[in-house]
Every structure is written in structure tokens, then in C-alpha cells.
Amino acid sequence: MMAATLMQTDVPTPEDSDSSKKVWPGRWSHINKILDRRGPFCDKSFSPGHGEDILLNQCRVLVIGAGGLGCEILKNLALSGFKDIEVIDMDTIDVSNLNRQFLFRPADVGSPKAKVAAEFIMKRVAGVKVSYYHGKIQDKDDDYYLGFHLIICGLDSVEARRWINATLVNIAQDDPERIRVLIDGGTEGFKGQARVIIPTVTSCYECSLDMLNKQTAFPICTIANTPRLPEHCIEWASVIQWPKEREGEKMDTDDPTHIQWLYDVALKRAMEFNITGVTYSLTQGVVKNIIPAIASTNAIIAAACCNEAFKIVTTSQPYLNNYMMYIGNEGVYTYTFEHQKKDDCPVCGNQSAFLDVDKEITVEDFIELLKEKPTIQLKKPSLTTDTNEKIYWQSPPFFEQRTRPNLEKRLSELVKDSGTIIVTDSTLPISLNVTVSYV
Amino acid sequence: MIKIWSIKKDNSSAEKKKSKISAAQIRVQKDLTELALPDTMQMSFPDESDLLNFNLSITPDEGFYRGGVFKFTFNINNNYPHDPPKVRCTQKIYHPNIDLEGNVCLNILREDWKPVLNLNSVLVGLQYLFLEPNPEDPLNKEAAEEMRNNRKNFEYNVKQSMKGKDVKGVYFENVLS
């Protein structure tokens, strides 16, 4: 009884022998079938018989998101032998989550997802330690992310994915030992994708940004003048009427009174134009851009992600290279392909150069150097420091005038030795990071 | 356990240096520093360290709106260029594609936005709205109808509105300065 209470509320230490005693018979038998012998596809570095040790004692995994995908991922990881897991989520549990986010119960509504999910897994799967952080991924620094071997994302936002991707690529930039593999899962209705991102080696999330579906946006003139669909009426309420009638007030799509207001306004408009189909839940769906989540799609994608995690960590099988798509409403075939790195990717496509320059060089002469140097050859470079101070900008005139006085200054007054300058130019796909050493 | 770094290709020329600036910011920086602003457009930044919020004024040198100064605010979020910039007109003006609240009907600001477009495309689009208002996709229906049915009258209305006078009982902002 004591031990059970302890497990529900606290994070047990890995040495906690109480919880590992409860490991059920045959706990490792299915895993050992794969890890106790070599197979034709094993990596060179694979050595049979050490699986339990690798999964139990060596590998720390971070799961970002404890929602639809996150619940599945946590359950899969725990049951396939991962023992040291951490989960981050900033949300609290909503009653509408309960149909598919099976680590949560009605009594948990309102509690942090990360906390409830971590406690549930520890209670249910003996010997697993799940720590949690209820907050934003942006709260954590590079050292935090370096503390994991693997990061699995089950996120629902493009913004959060871009952030974690850029962070991991940045961390890995200088030193390959700092590469942390990112496994990204995503679902949208019947569709889903799983991918393996090895920062600086494979294409990154930012490289594939143009593959994203466009958010449905209606022409604003249609919304204003010729509505035909219930969605047009709802957009009219949120895009045009809200700023007009509730000027200065920020719309909160999680506030039921705000949704109700939008619904009432949209309904009135719909009646004027003889449009049917405006409902409260459609209003919520349109303004929050909700696509119905399907539990089985989450299960499939989470399984794919955890399978990759298992293979990468144990080296027992080749891992996904590097993108798998699942389109459940079209068929069971999953298309797998190697997504290519993009040269002009603003996260992993930045080129870099190292220049030795005279410590007396002026900014103006340095710019000339960037134009003339055969290996660089820029046309109209604009320069910014890595702390985001403008050195010299060619355009717009507003900034050109502000930064023009810098042209006569010595570069060393603005950039310290071995500092980095971010250079943009029309001839560059995105930017060039120039690191200068003064001689 | 796998040594991930052993898969890293031995490619010293691909060596990179990290920067702390977000992808959206670097992209905005690229867009801004490569802008070729015509004389008819001016930009200003209320907070010089904030590239994501700025003002634009357009002074058309031909067309119905010649001589006026039209002011817009640009608001770019951290999801740029996945999300388009948000553009509003800060003045109450008489224009078929701009409503009295400052909403702008320009396809590339909403339904036709793509990440390959950039700030320059948006500026060109806005400039074009003043040279060739499009009465087929109206946001201000009365103005659009006037333009379609009676161009002379429309032209007169535009001139009146730009002086800060009223058009059919609605007063507009004086944009001649």
C-alpha cells in the first residue's frame, strides 16, 4: 500500500527496487526475441544480448506532447522496455480528450496532461520512471535537450515543431556528438506521418514546410459580401465583426463565452443569407481550426514512431530513411521516401564561412571583401550580429540610413573576435554565417 | 547503442555555425534587406529591434488615388512564412477592396498565400490595388458598384474622400498631406 501511494505521487529513482520487483514474468521475452540474436539487417555495431541493459540503463527519451499521440507513445515506450522517460506538455485535460487520450479519466479533467500521463504510466507499468514538465518546450534550454538520447514529438502545432527542430539543429551544428535524433509524428484525421530527423544530416522539419496543407482561408470579399457556406458566416463573425464590435479585446478561442458570441453573430448572418448548418461545434471547429482526431490514426503513427525509436536505440534493425506517410482514407499502403535537404532551408541550409581579417578593417571594407572574395562573391550584402544587432543593411531605406554611420567604424568595434555575422544577400538561398578572426 | 555521429558525413565544407535568431526572423531579414522599394513606398519601424511589426505608407503617383498617402500596419508572426503577414489599413478610406475597418482584400494575404511569396510580393500587391482597384471582388460594395457603373462618379468620390469629405454621408480621412 505504501509503495503504491508513493508511486502515484512521486518520481521514483531508477534504483527504486520496490517497483522493479513487480515486473511481471515474461516482461522481456518478446523484446529479447529481437535483441538476443543477430539478424540479416542488424547494424554492424549491434551486439546481441545487451538489449535490456541499453533500454533500461542507458537510454533517456523525451516525449513532447501528452495528447492523442503522446498517450500512445508513452504507453508504447514503457511497454517496449524504455525505462527512463520524460514528458512535456503545456495543456490541461479537457473532457473532449477522454475518448482517445486513454491515460486520462473524468476525474483528471483540469489537471496537467504531463503529470497525469506520467503518473498513470508509472502506476501501470512497473519499473518505468516517467518524469514530467507541465509547461512550454521554450522554457527549456540546450542543456536540457542534450540530456536525452532521443526526442519523440507528438505535437499538434507547426510552431512548436519548428521551434524544437531549429533548437536541435542549432545544438548539433558545431559538434556531431551533440546530435540528438528527433522522431516526429503527426496526424490529421485519417492522415498521418512519421519521420526521423537527424539534425544536420537528414532534411529537417523546416525543409519540408512547403509540404504542409494550406489552412483553409476564404477570400475576405466572399466572407463580406457573398457568403454561401456556414463557414463563411463564422469567419465573418470572427474576422470582421469581432474586431469591429469588440475592438481591442483579444479573442480567446478557449473561452466558451467568446465562442458563444461568435456563434450567435454567425447564426444571425446565416439566417439573413438563408444558409443552414451553423452550429456551436462548427463555430468552435472553424475558429480553432479543429480537424477531428481519430484514435486509430494516432495509434498507427505512434506505433511507427516508437518502432523507429526502438530500432535506432538498439541498432537491431535499419531505421526509417526518413519519411513515412499514411493516408488511411485511401488505403493501407504507406509511402516511404527520403525527403531531401533543402539548400535554402533557413534552419539547416545556412552556409558558413570563416574569414581572417585585419583588426583595423572598417565595415565598408569588410563589405567590399565579401563582394570580391572569389569563394563568397556577394552582390549587396546586409550584415547583422548573432545577437541581432544590425551592422549594415542595404534596404529598406529606414534601416540603411540608421546603419550607414557604421560603415566607417572598425568591424572589431561591433563584432568581437571569433564572433559570427549573419549575412543576407540576393545571391544566397537564405543566409551566410561568417565567423571572423582578427589578425 | 548507436553512435549517431558516425553517420554524419565527413564533409568539412558543410560546417556550420549556430545562431540564436529564429527561422522566421532570418527570413524576414532576408525579405527586408532585399526589398527594392520604389519612391512611392516608405517603411518605418516603431521599435527598431522588432522586425515583425512595421508601418508602410504608399503614395501612388498615378491612377485614381494619386497624391494621397495611405498607411498600413504589417504584423508578422513567428510562423512566417507559413502564415502570411497581417496587413491593415489604418485610415478610413474609400476603396473597393478595403473596407471601412481597414481590412484589405488581396488574394495573396489570405487564400493564395504561399511560403515562396515574400514581403516584396505583398508590397507589389498593395501598390497594384491603388493603381487598379478590382470592383469584381469588392469589400466596400458601394465603392465597387460605383466604379463599375459610373467611373466618372467613382473618380469624383475618390477625390472627395481623399480630401476628408463625405461620400453619401460617410466621412473619410484626409489623406492629402
Side-chain angles (χ1 to χ4, degrees), chain B residues 93-113:
Chain B
I93 65 168
Y94 179 80
H95 191 292
N97 310 109
I98 298 174
D99 72 13
L100 304 183
E101 278 71 44
N103 293 304
V104 182
C105 187
L106 182 61
N107 62 337
I108 56 169
L109 287 176
R110 280 179 72 84
E111 69 275 13
D112 290 333
W113 172 258

Side-chain angles (χ1 to χ4, degrees), chain A residues 8-56:
Chain A
Q8 276 179 34
T9 51
D10 264 326
V11 178
T13 55
E15 296 79 28
D16 192 343
S17 53
D18 257 337
S19 50
S20 45
K21 265 185 209 148
K22 297 210 192 80
V23 167
W24 62 94
R27 166 76 163 105
W28 292 93
S29 60
H30 63 296
I31 298 164
N32 287 345
K33 284 198 179 75
I34 301 165
L35 300 182
D36 277 355
R37 57 190 174 213
R38 292 194 68 85
F41 300 110
C42 288
D43 190 81
K44 283 197 298 287
S45 64
F46 178 76
S47 76
H50 294 94
E52 217 177 304
D53 181 49
I54 288 171
L55 292 170
L56 275 179

Side-chain angles (χ1 to χ4, degrees), chain A residues 43 45 54 58-59 142 149 158-159 162 170 172-174 176-179 181 198 200-201 206 209-210 212-215 217-221 223-225 235 239-240 243-244 312-313 315 319 341 346-348 350-352 354 382-388 390 393-399 402 420 422 424-426 428-431 433 435, chain B residues 1-9 12-38 41-51 54 77-84 88 96-97 99-101 103-107 109-116 136-141:
Chain A
D43 190 81
S45 64
I54 288 171
Q58 293 184 22
C59 188
D142 290 3
H149 296 96
V158 172
E159 204 174 331
R162 284 179 76 185
N170 266 336
Q173 210 83 219
D174 297 320
E177 298 223 1
R178 288 158 65 97
I179 291 176
V181 177
I198 303 174
T200 72
V201 177
E206 195 83 16
L209 213 58
D210 54 4
L212 287 172
N213 277 336
K214 255 198 328 211
Q215 281 175 7
F218 303 106
I220 197 158
C221 17
I223 297 169
N225 296 312
E235 286 267 287
V239 176
I240 298 180
K244 201 166 171 178
I312 288 171
V313 166
T315 67
Y319 52 84
K341 248 181 120 139
V347 169
C348 72
N350 297 308
Q351 299 165 17
S352 65
F354 295 83
S382 293
L383 283 58
T384 311
T385 68
D386 57 2
T387 49
N388 214 358
K390 297 169 196 73
W393 278 27
Q394 308 269 359
S395 181
F398 182 88
F399 284 126
R402 295 299 154 104
T420 299
I422 298 158
T424 49
D425 185 88
S426 57
L428 294 167
I430 181 79
S431 72
N433 297 342
T435 305
Chain B
M1 175 127 57
I2 197 161
K3 300 262 182 291
I4 288 295
W5 44 93
S6 64
I7 27 182
K8 172 126 174 157
K9 286 169 208 91
S12 53
S13 67
E15 219 180 313
K16 278 142 200 174
K17 201 65 188 150
K18 68 172 170 181
S19 73
K20 273 281 160 211
I21 302 173
S22 75
Q25 279 208 314
I26 294 188
R27 175 57 203 271
V28 171
Q29 178 172 331
K30 182 174 168 63
D31 281 12
L32 283 175
T33 53
E34 288 171 23
L35 277 180
L37 277 187
M41 287 193 210
Q42 283 201 315
M43 268 175 156
S44 67
F45 293 76
D47 172 1
E48 291 183 27
S49 60
D50 178 10
L51 299 179
F54 55 86
N77 69 19
N78 254 314
N79 234 355
Y80 184 79
H82 181 57
D83 291 351
R88 286 186 87 85
N97 310 109
D99 72 13
L100 304 183
E101 278 71 44
N103 293 304
V104 182
C105 187
L106 182 61
N107 62 337
L109 287 176
R110 280 179 72 84
E111 69 275 13
D112 290 333
W113 172 258
K114 301 179 194 69
V116 293
E136 304 310 317
D137 275 334
L139 207 50
N140 179 337
K141 256 200 291 197

